[in-house]
Amino acid sequence: MRQPWRVAVVGGGIAGLAAAVRLRDRAPAGTEITVYEQSGALGGKLRTGELAGAPVEFGAESFLMRDPTGAESGAVALIRRLGLADRIVHPTVGQAALVVDGGLRPIPGGTLVGVPGDLDRVTTVARPAAGADTDGGRPLVAPDEDVSVGALVRSRFGDEVVDRLVDPMLGGVYAGRADDLSLVTTMPALARAARVEHTLTGAVRAAQAAAPRAPGVPVFGTLAGGLSTLVEAAVTASGATVRRDAAVRELTATTTGWRLTVGPTRAPDLVDVDAVVLAVPARPAARLLAGPAPAAAGGVGELDYASVALVTLALPQPRLPELSGFLVPSTEGLLIKAATFFTTKWGHLRRPDGLALVRASVGRYGEEAQLQRPDADLAATVHRELSGVLGTPLPAAVDGHVQRWGGALPQYTPGHADRVAAARAALRAAHPTLVLAGAGYDGVGIPVCVRSGETAADEIITALGGSAR
């Protein structure tokens, strides 16, 4: 292999940037790293903007502090590596609510993404089915089986627990339906426990016991100054050449690596590299894989995505409850599926003038037509529905912003993990210097995407004959 190595990272989201940092840290000195980003902005769904003179997230809001083993998450490890650990801040208000019958009720504690381990604790929001979660003498899920979260929970706890608790919890993360989402991909800890336990309450308790949370230890964090500071620091640390507005239209295998066709069709730029980290969503990845790796393309190309809009309003001295926000079951018939009271939840964002920043998430999978409304219509509807849920008219907004994320959230149907594993196995066998990374394959959330990018970088280093220490 020629030295120095030349590695292309296709996709400038946090997975691609984490891969670039890892390559800089672990690949041989002098390795040439180039990040190709189709848009003009790096960071993917990490985007900090400004509203009414204050910083506000127009994309991802926070990250998990711990991974499922209890160790610090991939996001925290990367933040520490980038010298930003002193900027980590935590929510000052953690209690959230559910909208039930038009009013707010606190989200019950002790659940696993809404799935209860103690049915008595959820009766304030839902009536569990009586006597359905019985021990049938065998594990809930077969060793290689994947089911939808909704199907499993409905069969054990009934419809209300799914519709009023599990569905809005999952919908807040994925904008999808519990009845469509894979247990293995969206709730891996519960899936592992369900392969051993005979009841769903037992599986929830086993999953919780396998990853205990120390009392008082923060679950979530964000960065003072905004998550875009993480993006900027990662770009700097990677030392990568960054090409914005640079769409990679084709990947072609060569005798020594890969040829990228970049830019407009009339004047393409042909770039030869030794290896490629493909850190783009599943559909563009499938298009690029169709020529060199059709089997892998077919596997990842099945993934569908939901679109959402985030509507942020700056409200002068509103009367807000002491909550971090609320989730809305689809059965409530509202356009809003979730809301966050930014300046209540995050103490570092509170303002002496009492101006509050409230963000609502709009859009569920299969309801994309609702997002065709003009920005002003979305903002007015959000304002009206917030007032209705809170039971008091909110003051008129002094500023607002609508951020649309088209095709933003992967919809992991049952069997997703197996399809991705098969695609990656096909790539390793035929093209080990072409590796997939990102939310379309490994799950949503900043920590998961960071780990996905870092793992992809390690695979590239190994494939090129280095040592991914």
Side-chain angles (χ1 to χ4, degrees):
M1 181 62 63
R2 72 171 69 87
Q3 295 288 344
W5 296 347
R6 294 178 295 177
V7 182
V9 177
V10 182
I14 192 58
L17 296 178
V21 173
R22 185 73 144 220
L23 287 164
R24 179 59 62 213
D25 287 347
R26 299 192 174 186
T31 295
E32 298 175 7
I33 306 165
T34 305
V35 175
Y36 295 88
E37 170 55 41
Q38 177 173 286
S39 73
L42 297 173
K45 306 305 180 295
L46 276 62
R47 185 173 301 176
T48 307
E50 186 178 290
L51 193 65
V56 64
E57 300 297 350
F58 292 153
E61 172 201 352
S62 61
F63 48 82
L64 285 167
M65 294 295 295
R66 298 285 170 184
D67 71 12
T69 70
E72 69 178 14
S73 73
V76 174
L78 178 61
I79 288 166
R80 196 178 305 284
R81 154 69 182 87
L82 298 175
L84 300 175
D86 61 344
R87 297 195 185 188
I88 296 177
V89 293
H90 306 290
T92 48
V93 173
Q95 179 65 59
L98 284 164
V99 178
V100 177
D101 297 330
L104 292 174
R105 301 184 191 179
I107 294 177
T111 73
L112 191 63
V113 196
V115 185
D118 181 349
L119 295 178
D120 290 338
R121 298 187 67 177
V122 303
T123 55
T124 55
V125 298
R127 293 165 296 181
D133 191 31
T134 57
D135 186 341
R138 57 185 173 82
L140 294 172
V141 177
D144 297 322
E145 184 182 6
D146 189 12
V147 298
S148 78
V149 176
L152 177 61
V153 180
R154 285 187 196 280
S155 69
R156 292 281 162 166
F157 296 158
D159 292 340
E160 275 202 7
V161 172
V162 175
D163 295 339
R164 292 188 170 190
L165 191 55
V166 180
D167 200 61
M169 293 283 276
L170 284 172
V173 178
Y174 300 98
R177 310 280 184 174
D179 292 320
D180 300 325
L181 293 170
S182 155
L183 178 71
V184 169
T185 302
T186 64
M187 302 182 69
L190 184 59
R192 288 190 294 270
R195 293 192 174 108
V196 177
E197 299 293 329
H198 295 188
T199 65
L200 187 51
T201 50
V204 171
R205 291 169 183 168
Q208 291 170 330
R213 290 178 178 171
V217 175
V219 176
F220 295 101
T222 194
L223 293 179
L227 290 173
S228 285
T229 60
L230 172 59
V231 175
E232 295 157 6
V235 171
T236 300
S238 73
T241 299
V242 176
R243 294 187 57 180
R244 294 173 173 83
D245 299 309
V248 176
R249 294 190 294 102
E250 188 176 356
L251 286 177
T252 307
T254 67
T255 56
T256 58
W258 297 92
R259 174 164 291 171
L260 281 62
T261 302
V262 186
T265 54
R266 291 185 177 181
D269 185 10
L270 304 180
V271 181
D272 289 330
V273 297
D274 302 305
V276 177
V277 175
L278 197 53
V280 295
R283 287 181 174 174
R287 289 194 292 271
L288 291 172
L289 292 171
V300 302
E302 294 183 25
L303 184 65
D304 203 0
Y305 287 75
S307 298
V308 296
L310 300 178
V311 180
T312 309
L313 303 177
L315 304 170
Q317 299 183 323
R319 295 173 58 190
L320 299 177
E322 194 67 8
L323 295 168
S324 61
F326 60 80
L327 298 170
V328 185
S330 61
T331 51
E332 293 292 316
L334 298 180
L335 182 66
I336 296 174
K337 68 181 181 68
T340 301
F341 305 142
F342 272 141
T343 41
T344 303
K345 179 177 181 179
W346 301 101
H348 71 287
L349 295 179
R350 292 183 183 176
R351 295 171 49 135
D353 61 4
L355 190 76
L357 298 178
V358 178
R359 187 176 83 175
S361 178
V362 172
R364 294 179 174 89
Y365 180 65
E367 299 178 359
E368 284 74 16
Q370 297 281 8
L371 299 179
Q372 302 306 313
R373 305 184 189 188
D375 286 1
D377 188 4
L378 283 181
T381 301
V382 164
H383 188 278
R384 183 178 66 253
E385 290 188 351
L386 285 171
S387 296
V389 168
L390 296 175
T392 183
L394 289 172
V398 298
D399 203 355
H401 181 272
V402 177
Q403 179 68 52
R404 298 173 185 270
W405 293 108
L409 295 172
Q411 301 298 293
Y412 309 110
T413 55
H416 171 80
D418 288 340
R419 290 189 290 272
V420 171
R424 282 176 162 154
L427 285 177
R428 290 188 188 106
H431 302 292
T433 56
L434 176 59
V435 183
L436 294 167
Y441 320 104
D442 296 315
V444 300
I446 299 172
V448 174
C449 289
V450 168
R451 292 294 191 207
S452 180
E454 291 173 344
T455 299
D458 288 343
E459 288 196 33
I460 289 296
I461 293 168
T462 300
L464 292 177
S467 175
R469 59 189 183 281

